Amino acid sequence: MKRILEWQIATVKSIRQETPKTKTFTLSLPNWVRHKPGQHYDVRLTAPDSYQAQRSYSIASEPERSGEIDLTVERIEDGEVSSYVHEVLVVGDQIELRGPIGGYFVWEASMGGPILLVAGGSGVVPLMSMIRHRAAVGSTVPMQLLYSSRTPEDVIYSDELMRLQYSQNGLGIIITFTRQSPSGWNGYKRRIDVPMLREVAGPLGNIAQAYVCGPTLMVEAVANGLLQIGLGSNQIRTERFGPTGSIG
Ligand SMILES: Cc1cc2nc3c(=O)[nH]c(=O)nc-3n(C[C@H](O)[C@H](O)[C@H](O)COP(=O)(O)OP(=O)(O)OC[C@H]3O[C@@H](n4cnc5c(N)ncnc54)[C@H](O)[C@@H]3O)c2cc1C
């Protein structure tokens, strides 16, 4: 039987500044339901005059953590909802949400691999839930993250990603910087392109399943690139975060 999604009132348990533009909100849920990595929640704000704004935010945490979820929100200049949660929400506040939502852009360890994750900016959020879930259940499914970030300070979950890469069998993290890279950096320094996808995805073989998430234009460019290097459309799942004029 299909579950009816009810709005519930979550309480902000903690807030962590991840990067200058992103914050993670840990929310305690009275009606917590185990999610699948890749799913999202809808957040609804209601003004005193009853005006409402609603946006989707991916779950960053692993489903093995019960009773609460992490949402990581990038502050968009003049963004109605993202600015509000960044500037106004404090620990102890209550916020309305419903979920978990989504059945297609999901991965669980039982689905196997190998897995290619491709993120642009805050598109890393649902992929982080997959990476954390893989670690939580001790999976050794080969998993490779290719993460495009403008600058080093924009890399969300940077320390945890590096720690997991060293401690988890079969997990690879590759970052490409599109605007500014650390001094002495000898990794990728450009937008994701077909040669990069070939180099990163090649070792996974032609049976890899790909999950691509980020700004709309970036997701479309990467999905086309994956088709060009020989993946079938049934091997590519995409999630578009929103309208932005840039893929860098
Ligand atoms: C399934 C799904 C999951 C998502 N998960 C996350 C998440 O985990 N973290 C997160 O930070 N965001 C996520 N988003 C994007 C989020 O839903 C909002 O679109 C975003 O926070 C902007 O909302 P806003 O009200 O602040 O901006 P708005 O007031 O809606 O828009 C303000 C301006 O910013 C532009 N804009 C809108 N969205 C974006 C965007 N994503 N990037 C750049 N410019 C934009 C608009 O065109 C407009 O010009 C997700 C979107 C979807 C569909």
Side-chain angles (χ1 to χ4, degrees):
M1 204 172 68
K2 209 164 159 40
R3 188 170 57 95
I4 297 167
L5 276 182
E6 302 278 3
W7 291 96
Q8 57 178 307
I9 312 278
T11 303
V12 181
K13 184 179 166 189
S14 63
I15 302 177
R16 186 171 61 248
Q17 187 89 42
E18 300 276 4
T19 68
K21 285 191 203 137
T22 56
K23 282 183 179 177
T24 292
F25 301 85
T26 299
L27 306 173
S28 303
L29 303 182
N31 301 317
W32 179 86
V33 176
R34 185 187 166 95
H35 67 275
K36 292 183 177 164
Q39 287 188 304
H40 66 271
Y41 270 78
D42 285 342
V43 169
R44 182 165 75 178
L45 304 179
T46 307
D49 66 359
S50 302
Y51 168 77
Q52 291 190 321
Q54 187 180 314
R55 301 286 184 277
S56 302
Y57 292 101
S58 301
I59 306 159
S61 43
E62 66 280 21
E64 289 69 29
R65 233 173 85 192
S66 63
E68 60 187 38
I69 54 163
D70 281 355
L71 303 182
T72 301
V73 180
E74 177 182 359
R75 188 183 185 289
I76 304 283
E77 214 51 56
D78 300 326
E80 199 175 8
V81 172
S82 64
S83 300
Y84 174 87
V85 301
H86 266 254
E87 287 161 22
V88 179
L89 266 198
V90 293
V91 171
D93 278 355
Q94 297 197 311
I95 184 163
E96 211 177 2
L97 42 77
R98 69 174 177 193
I101 301 168
Y104 167 70
F105 192 83
V106 295
W107 178 79
E108 289 179 292
S110 57
M111 292 164 68
I115 299 296
L116 173 68
L117 307 175
V118 186
S122 57
V124 74
V125 176
L127 310 183
M128 192 63 185
S129 180
M130 298 176 190
I131 292 171
R132 286 171 165 160
H133 162 65
R134 180 184 178 280
V137 299
S139 164
T140 54
V141 168
M143 182 176 268
Q144 178 68 57
L145 170 68
L146 174 60
Y147 180 6
S148 174
S149 179
R150 287 179 175 169
T151 73
E153 68 172 14
D154 292 318
V155 178
I156 311 171
Y157 318 124
S158 162
D159 292 349
E160 186 180 351
L161 283 173
M162 291 310 124
R163 187 172 51 71
L164 287 173
Q165 163 159 251
Y166 291 118
S167 64
Q168 296 294 311
N169 217 352
L171 174 70
I173 312 284
I174 294 177
I175 298 178
T176 182
F177 293 106
T178 57
R179 294 209 179 158
Q180 182 207 319
S181 54
S183 63
W185 176 254
N186 53 14
Y188 293 122
K189 295 180 201 174
R190 60 182 201 268
R191 288 177 179 178
I192 297 172
D193 54 20
V194 171
M196 192 187 297
L197 289 171
R198 192 172 282 122
E199 284 169 14
V200 173
L204 296 173
N206 58 8
I207 56 158
Q209 294 289 328
Y211 293 79
V212 186
C213 185
T216 302
L217 289 180
M218 174 265 170
V219 169
E220 282 162 12
V222 170
N224 283 331
L226 290 173
L227 291 171
Q228 284 181 52
I229 67 164
L231 262 68
S233 52
N234 59 342
Q235 291 171 267
I236 306 168
R237 293 178 173 83
T238 58
E239 183 96 284
R240 293 161 175 78
F241 267 13
T244 178
S246 159
I247 58 172

